[in-house]
Amino acid sequence: MQIERVGVVGCGLMGAGIAQVAATAGFETVVRDVSQELLDSGFTRIRQSLAKRVEKGALTADQQAAALTRLRGTTRLEDLAASDIILEAIIEQRDEKLDTYARLDRLCPPATIFASNTSSLSITELMAATGPERRRRFIGMHFFNPVPLMNLVEVIRTVLTDPEVYRQACTFGASLGKTVVRTSDRTGFIVNRLLVPYLLDAVRALEEGVAGIADIDLAMKLGCGYPMGPFQLLDFVGIDTTYYIANIMYEEFREKRFAPPPLLKRMVLAGLYGRKSGRGFYDYADPAKPAPLEY
Ligand code: CAA
Ligand code: NAD
């Protein structure tokens, strides 16, 4: 089976980015979110991101226009039924994802491949929400934020994944312009297994009074050559998403390094989700000069 039509579930930070790269790479793409308002804000992000790619010379104006013609938004899950592959990028909550997969399994023909962009949930657990046939066509495709700029995708197989489906998924990842790394279904895969404890440890260092937000960021940028400090990156990924990820990883490993620090929980309760809500470890009221949270 040739992959020609792509369905994306979720039009948040990641879903919008995945839909953008799929449409840019020439695939007919339908992206679904739960309300028109959320779809509209996802499409605004896509338009801004494409415009930035054109500005930087990474895309021509014709490619930008063609990508937009291949992209369609919907609030109906049924509109994804004609997809050859469905890339799921909804919130990192187990029950929400299980419910979505059970519904998609009923809607889609047996040939459709299901791929989850989960950061921390088990692909096998998500797969188990579908019927026996689909389980052979269920994989993880874990992209990185911001999807249009980050060149990696982790492709994850379960013990039941059909080798031909896995090969197709790897080829599809490469056709989106990404470098593919192959991993098995272990929580956090490669990148988050190593990255998440580092980010959580930065919050613990802050809580312990090692240094302030701006100094920790500066130290890791200049001391390690990282493009962003840990708090800039936490704001970028989303404080809510990081909190969900930490809870899931802690539940899996029962190790302190994966436990969500208390400050993270309080920030979620206070609605400080990072860049996407305008405030996290920094306040983006003046985006040119984000001010660190008074902590
Ligand atoms: N689309 C979307 N966002 C774009 C963009 C595009 N085409 N071009 C630039 N950006 C964004 C940047 O995020 C940032 O936003 P604002 O303009 O709104 O402030 C800004 O544009 C900075 O862009 P620059 O033009 O200065 O770009 P840069 O060359 O500095 O690179 C970057 C930006 C690639 C994001 C770089 O800072 C970087 O590599 N940061 C680290 C990102 C990272 O580690 N991502 C992985 C997160 S972990 C993950 O994804 C897994 C998980 O499961 C949690
Ligand atoms: P987000 O909060 O920006 O977006 C999630 C979107 O999913 C929201 O727009 C929400 O309305 C939508 N949604 C919720 N339930 C839905 C449903 N049933 N159908 C369709 N849409 C639904 O989150 P995000 O950062 O885009 O994360 C999405 C997924 O990608 C998560 O599994 C996350 O762990 C993973 N991920 C995130 C990052 C990151 O850096 N943020 C990186 C890699 C992977």
Side-chain angles (χ1 to χ4, degrees):
M1 185 196 75
Q2 275 286 105
I3 294 178
E4 287 167 2
R5 290 160 302 181
V6 174
V8 180
V9 205
C11 195
L13 283 181
M14 296 303 290
I18 293 168
Q20 178 184 327
V21 297
T24 306
F27 296 96
E28 289 301 323
T29 306
V30 182
V31 54
R32 187 252 177 175
D33 210 306
V34 289
S35 74
Q36 192 58 44
E37 195 187 349
L38 288 160
L39 266 180
D40 290 345
S41 71
F43 270 73
T44 301
R45 234 185 344 264
I46 291 171
R47 282 191 207 93
Q48 286 168 347
S49 175
L50 284 170
K52 218 159 182 169
R53 301 293 282 156
V54 173
E55 209 177 281
K56 289 189 179 176
L59 218 59
T60 65
D62 285 351
Q63 288 169 320
Q64 173 189 28
L68 286 169
T69 62
R70 290 186 207 105
L71 198 54
R72 188 163 68 83
T74 182
T75 55
R76 288 163 31 94
L77 204 58
E78 293 78 2
D79 291 345
L80 302 188
S83 311
D84 300 315
I85 187 167
I86 292 186
L87 302 162
E88 171 273 312
I90 71 167
I91 46 170
E92 190 73 342
Q93 297 206 357
R94 180 182 282 110
D95 290 347
E96 193 77 29
K97 289 201 196 267
L98 292 175
D99 177 60
T100 299
Y101 280 119
R103 289 178 62 199
L104 281 170
D105 194 34
R106 289 193 293 272
L107 285 171
C108 296
T112 313
I113 299 172
F114 286 7
S116 179
N117 183 52
T118 181
S119 301
S120 53
L121 287 162
S122 152
I123 303 298
T124 309
E125 184 177 4
L126 300 177
M127 172 208 79
T130 66
E133 267 308 300
R134 186 83 54 200
R135 293 178 185 191
R136 301 173 55 242
R137 308 183 69 73
F138 203 116
I139 45 159
M141 288 191 78
H142 184 224
F143 293 86
F144 293 83
N145 181 20
V147 183
L149 302 190
M150 303 300 283
N151 290 326
L152 183 70
V153 60
E154 294 175 313
V155 183
I156 301 111
R157 62 185 173 275
T158 76
V159 287
L160 297 186
T161 306
D162 179 336
E164 177 54 22
V165 169
Y166 191 61
R167 192 196 57 75
Q168 263 189 311
C170 293
T171 305
F172 172 65
S175 72
L176 297 181
K178 306 301 176 197
T179 298
V180 170
V181 288
R182 294 164 171 78
T183 89
S184 59
D185 185 24
R186 297 290 181 278
T187 298
F189 319 122
I190 302 170
V191 173
N192 283 343
R193 173 75 170 252
L194 301 175
L195 177 67
V196 172
Y198 156 71
L199 294 177
L200 300 177
D201 226 16
V203 181
R204 280 187 269 274
L206 176 70
E207 287 175 328
E208 286 165 20
V210 172
I213 292 170
D215 283 332
I216 294 176
D217 273 349
L218 201 58
M220 294 312 292
K221 277 176 73 174
L222 301 185
C224 292
Y226 291 174
M228 289 178 170
F231 296 107
Q232 291 170 318
L233 189 52
L234 281 158
D235 276 358
F236 203 67
V237 166
I239 306 301
D240 52 343
T241 302
T242 308
Y243 179 64
Y244 302 143
I245 293 172
N247 276 303
I248 293 163
M249 293 187 84
Y250 182 66
E251 189 185 308
E252 174 81 6
F253 294 116
R254 301 279 166 194
E255 289 178 32
K256 190 187 166 215
R257 64 198 172 111
F258 296 105
L263 176 58
L264 218 51
K265 180 175 180 179
R266 279 153 184 74
M267 290 178 70
V268 174
L269 291 171
L272 306 183
Y273 295 163
R275 274 183 184 237
K276 63 183 170 187
S277 71
R279 253 183 103 186
F281 285 101
Y282 292 91
D283 186 336
Y284 299 91
D286 176 3
K289 213 170 169 228
L293 179 75
E294 291 291 336
Y295 171 69

